[in-house]
C-alpha cells in the first residue's frame, strides 16, 4: 500500500464520522476552511495506522541472508512516530535495535521497517518495544535481541500533567542480552555520539 495514493476500505465512512466529530466539537463542518477536513483526517488516520496492513515478519524474511557473522548488529536512532491508544495523540522518538546473528542476517533497512510497521498502529510504548523484539526473535532466531525506545508523549505534554521535557525509556531483551556485560556494551554503543 502506497500511503499517499492508496487507501483502505471504509475511507468515506471514516470521513463522515470526522464530519460529525467537528459538529460535536462546536464547529461548522460546512464552512470553507473545514469542507475538506474530514476526508483529509480520514486519509491521515489510514496512513498513521497503515501498520495494521503489513506483516513485519514477512519484511524480515524477504531479506534473509546466510552469514557466519556472530557479533552484535545495531541499528540505532531509528526515528518513529506513533499514536497513543489511550488518547490517539502522538508519541515520537528513537528506537535502538540490536541482534546477535545465529547463521542468518537481514537487511539493515528491514530493522527500521519493522519499527515503522509496529509504530504505525495504535500503541503503547511498552507493547511496541516487546513486539519489535519478538518479531526479530521469531523470524531470525538470533542468539539475542535487544530493543530500547526513548520517546516523548504528547498526551503528557499537551494535556494531563503537561510535562514538556519528560522522556520515557523502555527496553526488551532476550538471549545473550540477559548477560549484564552484553547489555552494557549495547547501551555504550547506542549512547556513543560519534558521527560518521
Amino acid at each position: 500500500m502506497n500511503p499517499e495514493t492508496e487507501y483502505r476500505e471504509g475511507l468515506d465512512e471514516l470521513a463522515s464520522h470526522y464530519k460529525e466529530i467537528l459538529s460535536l466539537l462546536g464547529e461548522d463542518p460546512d464552512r470553507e476552511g473545514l469542507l475538506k477536513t474530514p476526508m483529509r483526517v480520514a486519509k491521515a488516520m489510514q496512513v498513521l495506522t497503515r501498520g495494521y496492513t503489513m506483516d513485519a515478519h514477512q519484511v524480515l524474511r524477504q531479506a534473509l541472508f546466510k552469514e557466519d557473522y556472530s557479533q552484535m548488529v545495531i541499528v540505532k536512532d531509528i526515528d518513529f512516530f506513533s499514536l497513543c491508544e489511550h488518547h490517539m495523540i502522538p508519541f515520537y522518538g528513537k528506537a535502538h535495535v540490536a541482534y546477535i546473528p545465529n547463521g542468518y542476517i537481514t537487511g539493515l533497512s528491514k530493522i527500521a521497517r519493522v519499527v515503522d510497521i509496529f509504530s504505525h498502529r495504535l500503541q503503547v510504548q511498552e507493547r511496541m518495544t516487546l513486539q519489535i523484539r519478538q518479531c526479530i526473535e521469531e523470524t531470525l532466531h538470533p542468539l539475542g535481541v535487544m530493543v530500547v525506545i526513548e520517546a516523548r508523549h504528547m498526551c503528557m505534554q499537551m494535556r494531563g500533567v503537561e510535562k514538556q521535557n519528560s522522556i520515557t525509556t523502555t527496553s526488551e531483551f532476550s538471549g545473550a542480552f540477559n548477560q549484564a556485560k552484553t547489555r552494557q556494551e549495547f547501551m555504550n554503543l547506542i549512547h556513543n555520539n560519534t558521527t560518521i
Side-chain angles (χ1 to χ4, degrees), residues 57-183:
H57 294 81
Q58 185 59 29
V59 165
L60 291 177
R61 280 190 221 104
Q62 288 172 347
L64 204 56
F65 308 104
K66 189 160 181 53
E67 193 62 56
D68 289 333
Y69 186 80
S70 60
Q71 299 300 313
M72 204 178 298
V73 176
I74 300 172
V75 182
K76 71 176 192 172
D77 295 333
I78 303 168
D79 293 316
F80 75 88
F81 296 88
S82 192
L83 290 175
C84 161
E85 70 179 32
H86 300 141
H87 302 98
M88 292 177 67
I89 295 176
F91 69 96
Y92 61 95
K94 294 186 182 297
H96 314 287
V97 180
Y99 73 99
I100 300 174
N102 186 18
Y104 289 90
I105 60 170
T106 190
L108 298 175
S109 68
K110 305 307 180 191
I111 300 293
R113 195 167 301 279
V114 167
V115 172
D116 191 53
I117 288 170
F118 288 116
S119 67
H120 280 83
R121 299 177 181 183
L122 299 182
Q123 277 290 12
V124 294
Q125 183 175 332
E126 297 88 342
R127 183 192 315 119
M128 188 173 108
T129 309
L130 174 63
Q131 287 173 329
I132 294 166
R133 197 251 318 145
Q134 286 176 330
C135 178
I136 294 168
E137 193 169 77
E138 292 166 1
T139 310
L140 300 182
H141 306 288
L143 299 174
V145 182
M146 186 157 180
V147 178
V148 170
I149 294 180
E150 301 169 303
R152 293 181 184 274
H153 291 251
M154 296 191 80
C155 57
M156 284 181 63
Q157 294 177 319
M158 295 173 63
R159 54 158 303 284
V161 295
E162 296 185 9
K163 299 302 177 198
Q164 308 307 314
N165 298 307
S166 64
I167 296 174
T168 300
T169 302
T170 51
S171 68
E172 267 290 331
F173 52 88
S174 65
F177 289 97
N178 284 310
Q179 299 173 31
K181 181 180 176 184
T182 308
R183 283 197 311 278

Side-chain angles (χ1 to χ4, degrees), residues 7-8 14 26 49 53 56 62 79 169 175 191 194:
Y7 296 97
R8 305 194 299 271
L14 193 56
T49 60
T53 66
Q62 288 172 347
D79 293 316
T169 302
H191 290 113
T194 304

Side-chain angles (χ1 to χ4, degrees), residues 28-48:
D28 174 8
D30 294 319
R31 73 176 172 85
E32 184 182 7
L34 293 176
L35 278 175
K36 295 183 180 179
T37 296
M39 183 54 75
R40 286 189 192 109
V41 176
K43 287 179 176 179
M45 289 305 292
Q46 283 203 356
V47 170
L48 295 171

